[in-house]
Amino acid sequence: MIRVFLVEDMQVVRAGLVALLDGEFGIEVVGHAADAREALDIVGGADPDVALLDIDLPGMDGLALARELPRQLPTCRTVMLTAMDRAGYVQRALDAGASGYLLKTVSSKELAQAVRVVSLGGRVIEPLALAEEAGAKTPLTTREAEVLRLAASGADTRAIAADLFLGVGTVRNRLSAAVGKLRARTLVDAIRIAERHGWI
């Protein structure tokens, strides 16, 4: 029996996924949560083989959760189940340790098969075109993406510097480098470009 834990903030979607997966032969939903914090509080007791995570969660997002889960459950494998259809998100998910990336448009049979493949140590990315596009990696360094992500949230240079324990000049340099690498005219354009590709 493959033990699955589900993290999805939309209650109707979560309930539907639980019912769908519980109806599949050899799969049992052993727990579910509406956000990452709740998941981290209860997932250890559920001891799942596979965790299905939405990316767009309130508070800590699914990518951060995918990085955190192995610390509690080293043998649990993660699959991102999301509406984010950008190759940049695929790459970020793989970098976070995910073994699968599925769009919410997949069929119930495709979802169940992906869970089975991942539980056996495989990797699944659907649609395949996203996997191919993910080969075109972000031009941004991790640190440049980090400051750009904070800028996108509305933080100014001083707030970003304080949050990351950096000098204001360092933050400005990283933002400027990000703008240049993305061939953007302004910081706002750079944020828009990076978000469109799923790089932040």
Side-chain angles (χ1 to χ4, degrees), residues 54-122:
D54 190 6
I55 289 180
D56 191 19
L57 296 171
M60 177 191 286
D61 69 15
L63 297 172
L65 179 57
R67 286 189 292 272
E68 187 65 28
L69 273 178
R71 295 176 188 168
Q72 285 195 32
L73 298 164
T75 62
C76 179
R77 298 170 64 80
T78 56
V79 175
M80 310 313 295
L81 181 62
T82 179
M84 306 287 195
D85 61 349
R86 299 285 188 269
Y89 280 106
V90 176
Q91 190 60 56
R92 287 171 61 197
L94 297 178
D95 290 345
S99 299
Y101 193 99
L102 304 172
L103 297 181
K104 288 181 177 177
T105 53
V106 295
S107 70
S108 58
K109 293 299 178 190
E110 288 170 325
L111 176 59
Q113 182 59 21
V115 166
R116 293 184 181 104
V117 169
V118 167
S119 74
L120 293 171

Side-chain angles (χ1 to χ4, degrees), residues 17 32 78 89 114 150 165 175:
L17 287 168
H32 52 85
T78 56
Y89 280 106
L150 288 170
F165 303 102
L175 288 172

